[in-house]
Amino acid sequence: MTETVERTGAAFRLSERALRRTLGVNYLCCQFGKFSLMPVLAVMLARGSGGSASAAGFDMFAFLMCVGLSSLLISRWLPRLPYAVSMAAGMVCSGAGFGTLAFTDRPVSVLLALCLAGFGNSVHGVLVRVLVAESLTAESARNTVYGILQIATNAAAALGPFIAGVLYVAGDNRSLLAFVGIAYLAAAVSLLVGLPFGLRPPRTLRRIDGVRARMRTLRDPQCLRALALTAVGAFAYGQFYSAFALFVALAVEPAMLRAVLLGGPPILIVLFQSGVTALTNRRLRAGMAPQELLAIAVAAFGSGIVLLGVGLPVVAGAALAVAVFAFAEMLFGPMVSIAFNRLTNVSPITSSNFQGISLTTGEALGSLSGGAVFLACYHHGAGDWYWLALGAATLAGAGLHFARARITPERPEEGH
């Protein structure tokens, strides 16, 4: 295979090296746009709505749901365009949606702008997973690409709050939103330059999976385990930026230490993701199933949560939990995508949508629980019991997978 693309008849195929480079640059740009805005988006929305926390919360919920689910609305049309066009269009939609926030504070306009931004992110995310699945057959190769995307995402997550702090001054959002818009436009350009226009989803993807095909897949034990593990892991992950952030704010006094604890996972992932990727690649090549590694990630999330409730000194327990959470996330992110790539009874677009649904549902419910239930428990002196109960439930979810996997082993990947 050549360094960039090879052509067979009318079909183009991107090389692994070119795919890594293009998607790595693309993710770095678009995630810088996203994570430079997310730390202050709720504050920005509340200020624009006259201080209404409920309006800001509804807007954030609508945005997150659109990120996870809105591409379902156009699934039948996504395979008809070149990857470069549809993915770049998604980035332009996101940039335009966020950029519009600089020119309006009307509730309906703000909601529509956020939905447009979420829609662009959703289309882009689905097609990235389809492109990786269709371009690479070996799971270790896919894992390497997903690891690179994880590093790019967390590099942006680590630096984004500092960019927000510099550009969002005294409630003036224009400089920050201009930066966000430019970042998304740069992400679109990276795709138009890095992906050949002859690179299209296979014609077989134009077959629309009907309701019966989707229901058959949902009854498949492999699909059910992937959905369940992803939802449980996402629920646990959702605790970090809700319950854990509240716990740190309430129990840790020095502001610098709070910042270190909350900023720890992205930094650890940037530093150690490559090593974890190399380790998981060895396990995949040795025949370990992706869902087994996914279950280990879920168990790690559960272990990190339990550490917060066993009575360790606050800072020591929080620091240990951060380290375990970071390791779990290094496993969880790539393995979710690889586990759903194995679903062969439906098209990659449908399996990618299943992935988005389970991630969005789990994380949204986890954030809701972490923001509401944890606070109620904490103020009634039962904060430790919240962590212990949630950690035990998460560990039980992982253990249930291992028990069921012995009864119905996962099918090996074809050509693996």
Side-chain angles (χ1 to χ4, degrees):
M1 186 178 292
T2 62
E3 182 180 347
T4 53
V5 295
E6 65 173 8
R7 180 173 180 175
T8 305
F12 288 78
R13 185 180 179 89
L14 200 65
S15 74
E16 183 177 346
R17 180 181 298 180
L19 188 68
R20 292 179 187 177
R21 180 175 60 244
T22 299
L23 292 183
V25 172
N26 170 253
Y27 253 62
L28 195 61
C29 292
C30 71
Q31 298 299 332
F32 259 116
K34 178 181 177 180
F35 285 105
S36 298
L37 179 60
M38 292 307 291
V40 297
L41 181 58
V43 175
M44 186 186 303
L45 294 173
R47 187 185 297 271
S49 60
S52 173
S54 60
F58 178 77
D59 287 340
M60 288 291 293
F61 177 79
F63 168 70
L64 292 173
M65 292 302 291
C66 283
V67 170
L69 306 178
S70 60
S71 63
L72 286 167
L73 299 174
I74 61 166
S75 289
R76 65 174 60 243
W77 292 287
L78 288 179
R80 301 179 183 276
L81 294 172
Y83 285 111
V85 173
S86 48
M87 291 169 68
M91 294 289 87
V92 171
C93 286
S94 293
F98 286 134
T100 300
L101 297 177
F103 303 101
T104 183
D105 57 5
R106 295 180 177 178
V108 174
S109 299
V110 168
L111 180 62
L112 290 175
L114 288 171
C115 288
L116 178 63
F119 170 75
N121 273 273
S122 182
V123 169
H124 175 260
V126 166
L127 288 175
V128 164
R129 295 189 289 268
V130 173
L131 176 59
V132 172
E134 292 297 315
S135 299
L136 305 173
T137 56
E139 286 179 340
S140 57
R142 294 173 184 173
N143 186 40
T144 298
V145 173
Y146 291 134
I148 291 170
L149 302 188
Q150 187 107 316
I151 291 171
T153 298
N154 283 277
L159 297 175
F162 296 99
I163 296 173
V166 171
L167 297 180
Y168 185 62
V169 180
D172 185 356
N173 62 14
R174 290 173 296 179
S175 296
L176 175 59
L177 292 173
F179 173 84
V180 171
I182 291 170
Y184 274 103
L185 288 177
V189 170
S190 72
L191 293 167
L192 294 173
V193 172
L195 297 179
F197 280 82
L199 186 66
R200 294 171 173 265
R203 289 184 179 274
T204 53
L205 292 191
R206 298 185 186 182
R207 172 184 58 83
I208 304 302
D209 295 315
V211 174
R212 290 183 179 180
R214 296 183 186 190
M215 293 305 296
R216 281 197 303 271
T217 301
L218 288 174
R219 290 194 295 268
D220 185 332
Q222 184 176 337
C223 179
L224 289 174
R225 287 200 294 266
L227 288 167
L229 283 171
T230 300
V232 171
F235 188 97
Y237 172 77
Q239 305 301 310
F240 187 82
Y241 293 105
S242 55
F244 182 76
L246 291 168
F247 170 72
V248 168
L250 293 167
V252 178
E253 186 65 29
M256 182 60 68
L257 185 54
R258 292 199 297 267
V260 169
L261 290 171
L262 293 175
I267 295 171
L268 290 173
I269 291 170
V270 170
L271 293 175
F272 298 109
Q273 179 70 58
S274 296
V276 173
T277 298
L279 178 63
T280 52
N281 276 344
R282 285 199 294 270
R283 302 310 304 158
L284 289 170
R285 293 190 188 103
M288 180 177 281
Q291 285 191 13
E292 189 171 351
L293 289 165
L294 183 57
I296 292 172
V298 173
F301 276 132
S303 300
I305 292 171
V306 167
L307 286 171
L308 295 168
V310 294
L312 294 172
V314 170
V315 174
L320 284 173
V322 163
V324 176
F325 255 78
F327 171 74
E329 189 177 349
M330 286 183 247
L331 277 179
F332 183 73
M335 285 306 124
V336 167
S337 295
I338 293 173
F340 279 93
N341 286 162
R342 278 205 174 190
L343 302 181
T344 56
N345 294 335
V346 288
S347 71
I349 287 181
T350 298
S351 64
S352 186
N353 282 324
F354 282 163
Q355 176 178 339
I357 291 169
S358 56
L359 281 171
T360 300
T361 302
E363 191 170 347
L365 292 175
S367 297
L368 177 63
S369 171
V373 179
F374 171 75
L375 271 183
C377 292
Y378 185 87
H379 289 310
H380 286 84
D384 287 348
W385 287 107
Y386 175 86
W387 297 122
L388 291 173
L390 180 60
T394 305
L395 288 169
L400 187 61
H401 162 79
F402 288 120
R404 288 181 174 175
R406 292 191 183 97
I407 301 172
T408 55
E410 185 174 350
R411 295 186 301 272
E413 180 195 19
E414 294 181 7
H416 177 58

